[in-house]
Amino acid sequence: MNRFRSIISRVVALHVVTVGLTSILMPLALYWLLNQAANNLHRDALRSQALTIGSFLRPTPSGATQLEIPAEAMPLYSGEYALYSYAVLDADGKVLFSSRGDDQPLFASIDPSSSEWFSRRRSSGAVLFGVSVPRAVGERLYWIQVGQDLTHRDVIIDDIVHSFIPRVAWITFPILLLLLLIDILIFRRALEPVRQASTTAAAIGPTSTDVRLSEASMPAEIVPLVHAVNQALERLEAGFRAQREFTADMAHELRTPLAIMRARVDSMDEGPLRQSLQTDIVNMTRTVNQVLDIAELESFVVRADSTADIHAVCADAVGFMAPLAVGSDKTIALTGIEEPVWVRGHAEALFRAVRNLVENAIRHTPRGGSIEVDVAADGTVRVLDTGPGVPQAERQSIFARFWRRDRAKADSRGLGLAIVARVAAAHEGSISVDDRPGGGAVFTLKLRLA
């Protein structure tokens, strides 16, 4: 059943089976009906002939019976072009008159009193159909048997019946196949609103929770399902909104206590404790700012007409992070193309991504090492460091929020690389990490040119 999961495929499969059965049964049914109609015509014609022959029976003064067929009617029963054969039998089954000139009934193996149809294939290959009709002449009862050779050249009804299958029935399958194709087109058109709704639903994500499925052109049978999905989307949107608002409010509220703590720590006497607390406050402030960035990026959407000079963005990020690098006894440089490179994107969001990549490189580069930000003409930004590198098994997980190699330890990568991944996704770009020749890591941010 997995191969017929779509409505159209199920309808087509059932229609194919139906077309196959119908193309076989319909010609057979039509053939049977046509054959019945032909038999009725033969029966009526033969009964009429039997009654006509019965009208030619005359009693004689001696008490016998004679058959007086007019000369103009004789060619129907005798000669080369005879269309009918007859035999008149008495109540005992004895043949009194016969168009064949013998004393044998047309249907000797059949009860002469029967009014059913009879058939017999004679030695000549002719197929004879007939009927027995009772006729009273005077006080005596006679049975008139009339038969017709269906292979006679003037009998065309039977020829029509027998030629029906080879000449007409084959048209049934193409007609049914055409109807199948028309049905497929009708179903595709009828289900087009469902396909459009599926496309719309597939595009709904954390940045587009306000999108709803259209119920206007939807089939009546599917409207309740679409309505229920829209209600579920409304609940999800409310949940996303509450989560984003809580995250942003929490980050804003934490800024004031951190500022107070920093002021109090700055008023302490110089010493290892003060320096350790200042480092902790800087890390906490950075984490709070990253939480704010994440909260903003959850609903961030890049406009189609937004463009940014990625070279200028990288230059600003390098200049912004240079004091931190120099203060850590590390060097940082901007390399690559020196001309503007316009990409599709938001300059502020891209600045946050490059800044976090540079900050990550500074954290993992040892003292005396170097960080390089390389900008290519195709909109690719590469941040190279001389740190320990990233193991192959961790190159996807490091972009998760607060990922840490060992959960038992406190060494977390925080939100920096998660922010980079979110910015890359919002810009329809990508972020990856590889080994740097000679040691270190290379983070590659690929963007689309404007």
Side-chain angles (χ1 to χ4, degrees):
M1 202 61 184
N2 289 335
R3 64 181 65 179
F4 300 116
R5 297 188 65 180
S6 71
I7 297 178
I8 293 181
S9 64
R10 294 181 183 181
V11 171
V12 170
L14 293 175
H15 270 61
V16 167
V17 175
T18 303
V19 165
L21 293 177
T22 306
S23 61
I24 296 174
L25 297 179
M26 181 180 291
L28 294 178
L30 293 176
Y31 177 80
W32 182 82
L33 292 174
L34 185 60
N35 189 58
Q36 288 295 109
N39 288 340
N40 289 336
L41 291 176
H42 285 306
R43 180 192 62 192
D44 294 341
L46 293 175
R47 284 183 182 276
S48 177
Q49 289 297 323
L51 293 176
T52 300
I53 292 175
S55 66
F56 297 149
L57 291 173
R58 301 284 188 272
T60 62
S62 62
T65 303
Q66 64 180 6
L67 179 64
E68 299 179 352
I69 300 178
E72 61 271 14
M74 285 301 296
L76 289 175
Y77 310 107
S78 63
E80 183 179 358
Y81 295 96
L83 185 60
Y84 300 102
S85 298
Y86 67 84
V88 179
L89 290 71
D90 60 14
D92 297 328
K94 180 181 179 182
V95 177
L96 303 178
F97 308 98
S98 175
S99 62
R100 295 187 302 169
D102 54 22
D103 58 353
Q104 296 296 323
L106 296 183
F107 311 106
S109 60
I110 304 298
D111 182 1
S113 64
S114 174
S115 60
E116 296 179 355
W117 288 88
F118 314 108
S119 66
R120 181 182 67 179
R121 184 170 296 278
R122 292 154 54 176
S123 60
S124 61
V127 178
L128 192 67
F129 279 82
V131 65
S132 294
V133 175
R135 175 70 175 178
V137 179
E139 296 180 354
R140 296 183 179 182
L141 181 65
Y142 298 91
W143 289 93
I144 303 173
Q145 292 183 344
V146 178
Q148 185 179 37
D149 184 1
L150 298 183
T151 61
H152 194 280
R153 70 189 70 179
D154 293 332
V155 181
I156 63 173
I157 294 179
D158 190 68
D159 294 337
I160 293 174
V161 173
H162 284 84
S163 64
F164 174 79
I165 292 293
R167 296 187 179 182
V168 179
W170 66 269
I171 302 177
T172 304
F173 182 76
I175 292 177
L176 293 176
L177 185 60
L178 178 61
L179 292 177
L180 173 62
L181 297 177
I182 294 175
D183 277 351
I184 293 175
L185 295 177
I186 292 175
F187 271 96
R188 287 182 65 88
R189 186 175 182 84
L191 295 177
E192 185 61 27
V194 180
R195 297 168 66 92
Q196 293 178 356
S198 300
T199 303
T200 302
I204 297 176
T207 60
S208 56
T209 56
D210 59 330
V211 177
R212 296 293 180 270
L213 305 182
S214 175
E215 302 179 15
S217 58
M218 201 63 61
E221 296 82 359
I222 306 179
V223 168
L225 175 61
V226 175
H227 184 68
V229 170
N230 285 334
Q231 289 181 330
L233 290 175
E234 290 178 0
R235 293 191 294 269
L236 288 175
E237 182 186 13
F240 270 106
R241 185 169 55 250
Q243 182 183 19
R244 287 195 296 265
E245 291 175 354
F246 170 77
T247 303
D249 291 343
M250 179 189 67
H252 278 292
E253 291 297 326
L254 286 175
R255 281 184 168 181
T256 300
L258 286 173
I260 296 174
M261 288 175 61
R262 186 179 188 111
R264 291 178 177 175
V265 169
D266 289 342
S267 64
M268 294 174 61
D269 296 333
E270 291 288 346
L273 179 59
R274 175 184 173 182
Q275 185 176 359
S276 177
L277 289 175
Q278 286 177 336
T279 301
D280 292 340
I281 292 175
V282 169
N283 291 334
M284 291 177 64
T285 303
R286 179 172 59 85
T287 301
V288 169
N289 290 333
Q290 289 178 340
V291 170
L292 280 174
D293 289 343
I294 283 289
E296 294 178 6
L297 290 172
E298 286 295 340
S299 57
F300 175 73
V301 178
V302 180
R303 293 175 50 184
D305 57 348
S306 297
T307 58
D309 179 7
I310 191 61
H311 181 270
V313 169
C314 290
D316 292 342
V318 169
F320 183 83
M321 299 301 296
L324 179 61
V326 173
S328 303
D329 194 19
K330 304 166 188 177
T331 61
I332 184 170
L334 177 64
T335 62
I337 193 170
E338 297 182 358
E339 299 176 356
V341 179
W342 294 97
V343 297
R344 177 182 176 273
H346 188 272
E348 177 62 27
L350 292 174
F351 173 82
R352 294 180 184 179
V354 176
R355 184 195 67 193
N356 280 284
L357 286 176
V358 173
E359 183 179 3
N360 178 76
I362 293 174
R363 289 181 60 193
H364 294 88
T365 297
R367 288 185 175 274
S370 63
I371 297 96
E372 181 182 343
V373 179
D374 181 79
V375 182
D378 62 353
T380 301
V381 178
R382 297 165 66 239
V383 178
L384 303 88
D385 62 48
T386 54
V390 180
Q392 184 71 34
E394 301 174 3
R395 292 182 180 179
Q396 293 297 326
S397 55
I398 60 173
F399 296 103
R401 298 176 183 177
F402 296 107
W403 176 85
R404 56 171 56 94
R405 181 178 304 159
D406 187 355
R407 290 288 177 180
K409 298 181 180 179
D411 56 334
S412 171
R413 294 190 182 268
L415 295 170
L417 294 180
I419 292 174
V420 177
R422 179 66 189 90
V423 172
H427 287 77
E428 298 181 2
S430 64
I431 180 68
S432 60
V433 59
D434 296 292
D435 293 328
R436 180 181 183 179
V442 180
F443 286 82
T444 303
L445 175 62
K446 293 185 178 181
L447 303 170
R448 294 173 54 188
L449 292 175

